[in-house]
Amino acid sequence: DAALVTGPAAAHFGWDPGDLDALAGAVVAGHVLECGTQATGGNYALFAGIDARTLRRPGFPLAEIHADGTCVITKHEGTGGLVDVGTVTAQLLYETGGARYAGPDVTARLDTVRLDQDGPDRVRISGVRGEAPPPSLKAGLNRVGGWRNEVVFVLTGLDIEAKARLLQDQLEDALSADRPADVRWELARTEHSDGDTEERASAYLRLVVRDGDPAKVGRAVSGAAVELALASYPGFHLTAPPGKGAPYGVFEAEYVDASAVTHTAVLPDGRRVEIPPAVRTRVLEPLPAAARLPEPWPTGPTRSVPLGLIAGARSGDKGGDANVGVWARSDDAWRWLAHELTVDRFRALLPETAELAVVRDVLPNLRALNFTVRGILGEGVGARARFDPQGKALGEWLRSRYAEIPEALL
């Protein structure tokens, strides 16, 4: 995605492959622009502090790029939304895999990025350091993963857990003769006590099945669900009639040697020019875990409140993995967050990650931590293995969780 900015900038300024810092600056600008209004107030964790009228139609961001690779992120005058250090930080943390942001031309060091407010709706990005690109390129492989079906049962009123248990036992019996390879249940307790509408008095029990054989997830599942309609829990109904199942795709990332890929530029006159791979390369390595941590916040009285009172977050998918970027809203909050939000604490706050590999990267200039959660999305968005199949709301879940936060920061 960043190539749409990096290429024009390199052509305009005449950069060569050795101008790594300039190229890295353009890559960072491209990363900020690539998701449009996510840099101008869209999907912004701290939106509640902004005039709602300006967020109705946020304008698209643009980057004023300079010859040294520095840039200013802004937007057209008279458009909605806003550009400030917070909105740009949020987008910089979106769908990244660590402090080293690799591309085929350069690896940009996100831990070197500096952001400064440069006037209304203007944020200057500077200090970006570039390293030689890795010797390999990422290739996307897509395949049919199998067949999938889903049924959502509505449970209303009293005895929600008992109703769910009865229905689950009945369907498990019905499926036992030829059980699909993957059967998952999720009970969402959305009901309210003494609900004043039927929907607010209801919870949802979701069944998802997957298998390589379409017959195992089709009529065998939908028929079993419908046949229980008069023989299961009181108030039995579904959100929609069950279907016959559908195929799903799986995206996987693999890596190939850069010299094995022919990179060709097609010029306006039709001429084709082969571009050789980078001469200088550098194997990607994680940065030291304790890189440039601030002084810890002193001990004192704390209060149990949502983490989001002092931090913003943004999350997204990378195939079957997800990232959660978290940034502190002040220098003092950063001193606390950098030491408190360890991998173990992250797992405790988000129990769905407890058994998964989690990698933490420190981005001190952004007052931010980036967590990469391996495998939480299963085989990716096509397989829809979990409630939030692209991990878009993992950050908001984290912000809603309660932590013992120093009263002085509140």
Side-chain angles (χ1 to χ4, degrees), residues 18-279:
D19 292 323
L20 296 176
D21 290 347
L23 288 166
V27 166
V28 168
H31 178 57
V32 172
L33 297 189
E34 71 188 30
C35 289
T37 52
Q38 280 197 168
T40 57
N43 297 349
Y44 184 43
L46 309 182
F47 81 101
I50 302 167
D51 185 345
R53 291 170 296 182
T54 193
L55 291 179
R56 288 179 187 170
R57 297 185 63 174
F60 273 77
L62 58 92
E64 301 169 355
I65 302 180
H66 301 280
D68 61 354
T70 61
C71 73
V72 171
I73 304 296
T74 184
K75 65 185 185 68
H76 288 292
E77 230 178 294
T79 59
L82 79 160
V83 178
D84 67 11
V85 169
T87 65
V88 174
T89 297
Q91 178 54 26
L92 280 172
L93 296 174
Y94 182 61
E95 295 186 344
T96 59
R100 285 190 161 104
Y101 190 81
D105 305 299
V106 64
T107 295
R109 286 280 299 270
L110 297 183
D111 61 319
T112 64
V113 175
R114 302 200 73 89
L115 303 179
D116 295 287
Q117 200 71 40
D118 195 46
D121 291 322
R122 294 178 64 83
V123 171
R124 181 172 298 280
I125 300 179
S126 62
V128 185
R129 299 296 305 274
E131 297 175 343
S136 58
L137 299 175
K138 184 168 75 171
L141 298 182
N142 295 280
R143 60 179 172 81
V144 175
W147 290 76
R148 179 187 184 281
N149 204 352
E150 177 177 329
V151 187
V152 180
F153 303 87
V154 183
L155 316 174
T156 303
L158 305 177
D159 306 317
I160 295 295
E161 290 192 7
K163 289 172 179 174
R165 190 162 51 248
L166 171 61
L167 185 280
Q168 188 171 340
D169 288 346
Q170 289 176 313
L171 254 179
E172 288 284 357
D173 282 346
L175 298 177
S176 61
D178 200 10
R179 182 182 173 85
D182 186 27
V183 177
R184 301 191 186 199
W185 295 92
E186 184 74 29
L187 175 60
R189 298 297 301 269
T190 53
E191 84 281 2
H192 295 70
S193 177
D194 195 22
D196 59 351
T197 68
E198 184 177 340
E199 185 167 3
R200 282 197 284 268
S202 299
Y204 298 94
L205 180 63
R206 180 168 170 254
L207 167 65
V208 177
V209 295
R210 284 190 293 273
D211 198 282
D213 182 354
K216 288 187 177 183
V217 304
R219 182 65 181 270
V221 173
S222 59
V226 171
E227 287 159 11
L228 285 171
L230 305 180
S232 190
Y233 62 89
F236 180 108
H237 68 284
L238 310 174
T239 57
K244 60 183 180 180
Y248 66 88
V250 175
F251 168 86
E252 295 174 322
E254 295 291 344
Y255 292 85
V256 297
D257 191 282
S259 62
V261 180
T262 302
H263 196 158
T264 305
V266 182
L267 304 184
D269 62 5
R271 285 184 298 132
R272 302 172 69 85
V273 179
E274 188 170 324
I275 310 298
V279 175

Side-chain angles (χ1 to χ4, degrees), residues 9 13 77 190 246 289 326 368-369 381-382 401:
F13 293 115
E77 230 178 294
T190 53
V326 188
L369 304 170
V381 62
R401 296 287 281 161

Side-chain angles (χ1 to χ4, degrees), residues 305-330:
V305 295
L307 181 63
L309 294 186
I310 65 162
R314 180 168 284 169
S315 58
D317 62 313
K318 302 288 276 185
D321 301 338
N323 94 294
V324 183
V326 188
W327 76 94
R329 300 179 70 166
S330 68

Side-chain angles (χ1 to χ4, degrees), residues 275-360:
I275 310 298
V279 175
R280 290 176 52 208
T281 62
R282 177 174 178 165
V283 175
L284 287 176
E285 295 175 333
L287 293 175
R292 295 167 56 195
L293 288 179
E295 286 294 313
W297 184 257
T299 57
T302 63
R303 194 185 315 159
S304 181
V305 295
L307 181 63
L309 294 186
I310 65 162
R314 180 168 284 169
S315 58
D317 62 313
K318 302 288 276 185
D321 301 338
N323 94 294
V324 183
V326 188
W327 76 94
R329 300 179 70 166
S330 68
D331 288 338
D332 287 342
W334 170 236
R335 291 175 59 188
W336 177 84
L337 185 75
H339 293 274
E340 173 65 19
L341 195 55
T342 62
V343 168
D344 286 344
R345 189 75 185 108
F346 179 90
R347 287 195 179 110
L349 290 171
L350 302 186
E352 289 182 26
T353 71
E355 303 301 320
L356 301 173
V358 178
V359 178
R360 183 181 105 147

